[in-house]
Amino acid sequence: MGFLEEAERIRIHVDQALERLGFTGRARVEEPPIPELGDLATPVAFDLARKHGLNPVEAADRIISSLEASKMEVLKHVENVNGFINFRFDPVKYSVKVLNEALSKRGDYGKFPVASRKILIEHTNSNPNKALHVGTLRNAVIGDVLARLLRFLGHEVIVVNYIDDSGSQVADNILAHYFMKTPLEPPEGTRFDEYSGRVYAEYSEKIEKDEELRRMRSEIIRKIEEGGNEVADFARLFSEKVVECQLETAWGFRIFYDLLNWETDVLRSGIFEWAVNELKSRGEAYLEEEGENKGCLMIRLRDVEEFSRLKAPDEVLVRSDGTATYVGKDIAYAAWKLGLTPRRFRVKKWFKQPNGRTLLTTHWDGEEYDYHGADLAITVVDKRQEYPQKVVEHALRKLGAPPEKKYLPYLYEVVALSGETASELTGVEELRERRMVHMSGRKGIVFNANDLFKTVFQKVYEETLRRNPSKDEEWVRSVSTHLSVASIRYSLFKTDKNNIIVFDVKDATRLEGDTAPYLQYTYARACRILEKASVDVNSLTEASFNTPEELSLVRQIGKFSWVLNMASETLALNIIAVYMRHLADMFNSFYEKCPVITGEGPRMDRLALVKAFTITMGNAFEITGIEKLNEV
RNA sequence: GGGCCCGUGGCCAAGCCAGGAUAAAGGCGUCGGCCUUCGGAGCCGGAGAACCUGGGUUCAAAUCCCAGCGGGCCCGCCA
């Protein structure tokens, strides 16, 4: 029984005590600010005092005397401190319970009972005309950690990546290659995705300035949407080449998918047509007959409270040239996610991924895909898309999404570059003075994920080699790769999703302090102790912990499920990072002060503590996609 | 014009949604210690904070409410 269970148990006891005293209510149970005050506390006496005009200190006394403390197993002491009711566990009993639970549950330690839900997570969503950059990587890492967390807790999770192959970005590249004969072969030594990003940056500007080119682009989009023609086939092959590169990058970062949903297939499957017709027949979509948007199919938002204050609330679903907008397609796609549409995607197997899972892709000559919708559809998108996502949510309600089915845009802030990094990347000296510089594909201010990996890897490799001169090259490279990937992943989910990450190369190549390599190093240290002890421990009947280092570490291990519970309720991933770091900090303090292997052999209770630590940290690593290394 | 987010030591940042304990984590940087016992990517200690400002609610506000200020973003027949 860990902290989560004990907190719940104490809450129930307090509630029962309240009831016996003739009060109703639910006690809040929290952690005291400092361990000296106890393991758990409730300020419920203050709530009663306010409600019933009592003195909080006296109320606390009455509650304590009504508590059936003897029935509370691991509890050692209850006291009233200025109205706070503080509970203290018997440290030995609690330690034995926590460690035994970890040692017996192992890979399942941290799980708690949940009602399993069907969850769909969409992430990455990079246009198929450029390489993944640190911004899309934040998106992908967040999505990947969400998927790992929710799977760990027992939910049925499917991970999808939306390939926007029918928008104007890809059309710009098709115009450049197919009609303007820009070579399709990248220059020697350049990846295809990076090359296409450069071609896009060059041509999008030209096209924007030239009416004839804009007309051609519109025709290209129309042809791509229509399908069954040479341009559309060319576009699909082009996009597939880019997506293959993007997948390779993602896989390198241990990010995997179940299904790629191509935007053109939202159209060809009839899902888009279904959504538009449904909105029309429900009176939510109409053809604009005058003004700026003449000839467009619009969704009616002007009467909706949350959109009513906008200058022009209604949104375009289908352009006057007959092509679909992003919002229009996204509404249809979202309806599919929740199983609202009777139309199906056709899919086929595309790759066997390095993690062993098959990757499906939608394709016109595939087989009908049997998916009847998620209970919860999470879309990981950056904050700039909050407004269109609101439109999607509104449209889903109008399409009859039942209240128990949830569409959740998971909004996170973007990654910007520090002035220094932007300056070094572009060679533009003026940028150096800026606190941050937003990335821009068109301006060529982009830090690509592969370049980031290379930069971090170089630093990690040197460091690993220096510390392990006797290890062979293959080992050093493998360990360096894992450390680099973990370091980058950790840096992208440890920050609150509402905060902009100002990416800086100096900071990214740091391997000390609040970094994944620190966590992995700590884990490896623990593994060495287990190895050197040369005895295993799988359960414990007694312990003689008496140092603050031992007890803090036990408490932190016991809090694992409590943290995961909070993470699953709030979907805040940074709290898992904070937890892991505290866990590592506590282990390292313990390591300094409490020898495990002594002259008389290993102390079994401490050995059990070390093993419980590796189990807990190991499970946290699984959830966050950090490789468990026994040696670094 | 409307809307969203952020503002905590020199820098980054946890805590804020579910208000509590006159001790507000941690990291970087800085100053000083620790490698003859399990790995120094570590540990121990020091200095460093008007929790943006002003009101309000409350027994209690970094946390909730209101008004400002500063920074970022969104409101396109782009995505």
Side-chain angles (χ1 to χ4, degrees):
Chain A
M1 284 289 132
F3 188 81
L4 177 67
E5 293 81 357
E6 292 304 332
E8 182 59 13
R9 193 174 297 188
I10 283 178
R11 190 190 61 73
I12 291 168
H13 276 284
V14 173
D15 285 353
Q16 287 169 349
L18 291 177
E19 207 171 307
R20 282 191 286 274
L21 292 169
F23 298 116
T24 52
R26 229 176 125 90
R28 291 177 286 149
V29 177
E30 56 200 33
E31 212 185 352
I34 47 166
E36 285 69 26
L37 289 166
D39 293 292
L40 283 164
T42 175
V44 70
F46 292 95
D47 297 340
L48 282 191
R50 169 165 33 189
K51 236 169 153 181
H52 304 280
L54 307 171
N55 176 311
V57 180
E58 285 169 21
D61 276 334
R62 288 177 61 190
I63 295 165
I64 290 173
S65 55
S66 175
L67 269 176
E68 293 177 324
S70 59
K71 290 191 182 166
M72 296 152 81
E73 269 185 81
V74 298
L75 199 70
K76 190 179 183 188
H77 186 62
V78 185
E79 67 178 337
N80 175 355
V81 180
N82 303 324
F84 289 93
I85 303 172
N86 294 341
F87 301 85
R88 189 183 308 280
F89 301 153
D90 180 309
V92 169
K93 277 190 195 164
Y94 182 67
S95 299
V96 169
K97 275 188 119 173
V98 166
L99 297 188
N100 276 331
E101 186 170 347
L103 295 176
S104 61
K105 288 177 86 176
R106 296 167 153 270
D108 289 331
Y109 180 64
K111 291 185 187 181
F112 50 89
V114 294
S116 176
R117 296 213 280 168
K118 279 176 74 176
I119 300 175
L120 179 148
I121 298 177
E122 175 195 339
H123 69 73
T124 309
N125 301 357
S126 172
N127 280 315
N129 71 332
K130 56 172 163 258
L132 300 184
H133 54 72
V134 275
T136 33
L137 193 60
R138 183 180 195 182
N139 182 309
V141 167
I142 286 171
D144 185 66
V145 176
L146 281 174
R148 287 170 186 266
L149 170 68
L150 295 171
R151 273 189 184 134
F152 179 84
L153 294 179
H155 297 288
E156 195 184 314
V157 178
I158 151 173
V159 176
V160 304
N161 180 4
Y162 187 63
I163 311 296
D164 180 5
D165 62 325
S166 69
S168 63
Q169 290 204 15
V170 166
D172 285 355
N173 285 70
I174 302 309
L175 181 53
H177 293 295
Y178 190 83
F179 290 98
M180 297 173 81
K181 303 299 172 201
T182 305
L184 207 47
E185 249 339 278
E188 187 67 30
T190 305
R191 293 167 53 104
F192 189 74
D193 54 353
E194 288 169 13
Y195 174 60
S196 72
R198 270 183 236 159
V199 171
Y200 166 72
E202 188 185 330
Y203 277 85
S204 66
E205 205 173 329
K206 282 187 197 166
I207 294 166
E208 241 13 272
K209 287 187 198 141
D210 185 318
E211 197 179 335
E212 174 59 15
L213 292 178
R214 286 209 306 276
R215 201 197 52 71
M216 281 174 77
R217 175 173 64 187
S218 149
E219 181 59 15
I220 290 168
I221 296 177
R222 209 187 50 72
K223 283 205 154 121
I224 291 174
E225 288 198 359
E226 195 177 76
N229 58 68
E230 209 178 295
V231 173
D233 292 347
F234 180 85
R236 175 77 181 211
L237 288 175
F238 170 86
S239 296
E240 283 183 355
K241 278 185 86 164
V242 176
V243 170
E244 284 177 32
C245 293
Q246 293 179 346
L247 286 172
E248 196 182 28
T249 303
W251 294 340
F253 283 98
R254 314 182 87 201
I255 295 159
F256 307 99
Y257 310 90
D258 296 304
L259 171 66
L260 305 181
N261 286 313
W262 293 68
E263 197 169 63
T264 45
D265 293 319
V266 173
L267 298 163
R268 287 176 202 153
S269 59
I271 293 171
F272 179 75
E273 186 190 13
W274 173 87
V276 163
N277 286 339
E278 202 66 17
L279 286 170
K280 274 199 244 172
S281 70
R282 290 170 186 251
E284 300 297 333
Y286 66 95
L287 188 67
E288 181 61 80
E289 289 176 350
E290 55 191 277
E292 271 193 332
N293 296 325
K294 186 176 176 186
C296 295
L297 185 76
M298 312 289 292
I299 182 167
R300 190 182 300 278
L301 300 170
R302 67 184 85 148
D303 311 323
V304 184
E305 162 62 23
E306 60 179 326
F307 303 108
S308 59
R309 278 185 298 267
L310 293 167
K311 276 178 279 183
D314 295 5
E315 280 281 317
V316 176
L317 301 178
V318 180
R319 302 183 188 106
S320 56
D321 66 2
T323 60
T325 62
Y326 162 76
V327 179
K329 289 176 280 199
D330 209 34
I331 288 170
Y333 178 42
W336 170 80
K337 290 179 183 173
L338 294 184
L340 304 182
T341 168
R343 306 293 177 83
R344 298 282 164 74
F345 279 114
R346 306 188 82 82
V347 301
K348 62 181 192 183
K349 291 179 183 173
W350 199 16
F351 287 109
K352 177 109 173 176
Q353 299 175 101
N355 68 338
R357 287 174 86 113
T358 299
L359 176 63
L360 297 175
T361 183
T362 61
H363 201 281
W364 61 76
D365 68 1
E367 313 217 328
E368 199 163 271
Y369 184 52
D370 194 29
Y371 188 69
H372 297 275
D375 305 322
L376 170 65
I378 299 174
T379 307
V380 183
V381 280
D382 81 53
K383 273 209 159 141
R384 293 171 302 192
Q385 296 199 45
E386 183 164 13
Y387 169 69
Q389 286 298 316
K390 277 191 170 152
V391 176
V392 172
E393 285 181 274
H394 168 77
L396 287 175
R397 284 193 296 274
K398 293 300 179 184
L399 284 170
E404 68 275 13
K405 295 222 169 202
K406 284 222 156 49
Y407 182 81
L408 179 70
Y410 188 95
L411 300 164
Y412 67 93
E413 265 293 1
V414 296
V415 179
L417 305 180
S418 71
E420 202 164 339
T421 291
S423 170
E424 275 156 23
L425 185 72
T426 58
V428 179
E429 200 52 37
E430 296 79 74
L431 294 178
R432 193 174 294 274
E433 300 313 312
R434 305 249 297 269
R435 194 178 75 82
M436 66 168 159
V437 179
H438 282 289
M439 285 194 286
S440 162
R442 293 188 184 197
K443 290 185 195 156
I445 310 177
V446 177
F447 211 104
N448 281 336
N450 291 315
D451 295 334
L452 173 58
F453 174 79
K454 280 185 215 152
T455 306
V456 175
F457 179 86
Q458 194 189 341
K459 174 82 186 301
V460 173
Y461 180 85
E462 284 167 18
E463 191 65 17
T464 307
L465 195 61
R466 191 176 63 73
R467 290 158 184 274
N468 300 278
S470 61
K471 296 283 188 184
D472 62 53
E473 170 72 8
E474 196 188 342
W475 185 91
V476 176
R477 292 195 75 84
S478 162
V479 163
S480 301
T481 300
H482 288 307
L483 289 169
S484 304
V485 165
S487 181
I488 293 165
R489 288 180 61 106
Y490 182 78
S491 73
L492 293 174
F493 75 82
K494 76 168 182 176
T495 302
D496 187 293
K497 69 188 175 73
N498 291 321
N499 291 344
I500 293 180
I501 292 179
V502 180
F503 173 82
D504 184 83
V505 171
K506 267 203 319 289
D507 193 52
T509 51
R510 225 187 58 234
L511 307 174
E512 295 151 14
D514 188 12
T515 65
Y518 163 65
L519 302 179
Q520 288 166 302
Y521 167 77
T522 304
Y523 180 85
R525 269 183 146 181
C527 289
R528 307 304 289 168
I529 295 177
L530 296 182
E531 194 185 295
K532 289 210 164 136
S534 65
V535 285
D536 199 6
V537 52
N538 288 306
S539 69
L540 204 62
T541 48
E542 57 185 329
S544 48
F545 299 145
N546 51 26
T547 66
E549 286 79 13
E550 292 164 309
L551 297 171
S552 302
L553 183 55
V554 169
R555 264 198 297 272
Q556 185 70 358
I557 289 170
K559 273 169 72 177
F560 190 40
S561 58
W562 186 72
V563 169
L564 294 183
N565 179 47
M566 197 182 295
S568 78
E569 277 177 12
T570 60
L571 298 183
L573 303 178
N574 65 317
I575 64 178
I576 302 174
V578 171
Y579 174 80
M580 289 194 289
R581 217 203 45 249
H582 284 159
L583 184 62
D585 291 345
M586 287 169 191
F587 179 81
N588 282 317
S589 298
F590 161 81
Y591 181 92
E592 294 292 328
K593 296 274 166 55
C594 309
V596 178
I597 300 163
T598 60
E600 298 90 61
R603 250 188 71 169
M604 292 311 279
D605 55 350
R606 285 182 176 170
L607 190 64
L609 181 50
V610 174
K611 188 167 177 190
F613 163 79
T614 61
I615 288 167
T616 309
M617 190 62 106
N619 290 355
F621 281 178
E622 288 290 336
I623 288 166
T624 55
I626 292 173
E627 180 74 17
K628 290 177 271 188
L629 299 166
N630 294 331
E631 290 178 82
V632 293

